[in-house]
Amino acid sequence: MSSPPADDWDLLASVRRDPTALDALFRRHRDTVFRFAYARLQNEDDANDLTQEVFLRLGRYRRPVFRRARFSTWLYRVTANLAADEWRRRQRETPVAGGEEAEAPANPAAAKDLDQVLALLPELPERQRETLVLRILEGWSVAETAAAMGVSNGSVKTHLHRALESVRRQLED
């Protein structure tokens, strides 16, 4: 009879002394981390790199583990912070030629699938983008999303409403 799977927090606490712990965390959470990274960065290679960086950081994690939130909420925060750093780095390194703004999608009205909606995410303010990813794409509850983002439930609802309205308008144009 096999033992029950270890709790994610317990795995994190044992990563430094047990190399299989990081592998277990990676297998459990890589897809979620990748999806969120891809939604934020809109580039598969960058999302893969960010996913690897998240788990490399977990492998070097030295602080005591405080279980104030669900592990997935905490892991989202780690991923969101690294994605925001990468996004800012990109903005500094990619000057816009002649002060022109980036082009909008060629035909937003033709957006009929998730990939086309995801392509609109960079147009949203950061909080709206995060809320949309967590609530709609990851299926988190309002309370889970609020805890991960460090905002109130009402703020989550407001950000989600504004994000959906913005996407709807862009798709109608």
Side-chain angles (χ1 to χ4, degrees), residues 3 20 23 26 28 37 39 50 54 57 65 71 78 81 83 91 93 99 103-104 114 119 123 137 146 166 169 173:
S3 61
T20 63
D23 186 51
F26 180 75
R28 287 181 188 179
L50 188 81
V54 166
R57 292 214 180 179
V65 176
F71 181 84
V78 170
N81 289 339
Q91 297 306 312
E93 292 178 0
E103 288 184 29
L114 183 59
E123 305 299 319
L137 301 180
S166 180
R169 279 193 307 273
D173 288 345

Side-chain angles (χ1 to χ4, degrees), residues 53-126:
E53 180 63 25
V54 166
F55 288 98
L56 286 173
R57 292 214 180 179
L58 292 185
R60 296 188 305 254
Y61 194 75
R62 299 184 197 289
R63 295 185 195 142
V65 176
F66 298 107
R67 299 169 188 231
R68 287 181 268 179
R70 285 186 18 193
F71 181 84
S72 59
T73 301
W74 177 81
L75 184 60
Y76 156 77
R77 244 346 319 145
V78 170
T79 306
N81 289 339
L82 288 174
D85 291 347
E86 174 63 19
W87 186 260
R88 283 189 293 273
R89 185 191 62 75
R90 269 203 221 161
Q91 297 306 312
R92 286 190 305 267
E93 292 178 0
T94 311
V96 178
E100 297 173 8
E101 293 186 20
E103 288 184 29
N107 185 2
K112 293 184 182 185
D113 64 9
L114 183 59
D115 289 337
Q116 290 172 312
V117 172
L118 288 175
L120 299 174
L121 285 178
E123 305 299 319
L124 297 174
E126 183 176 349

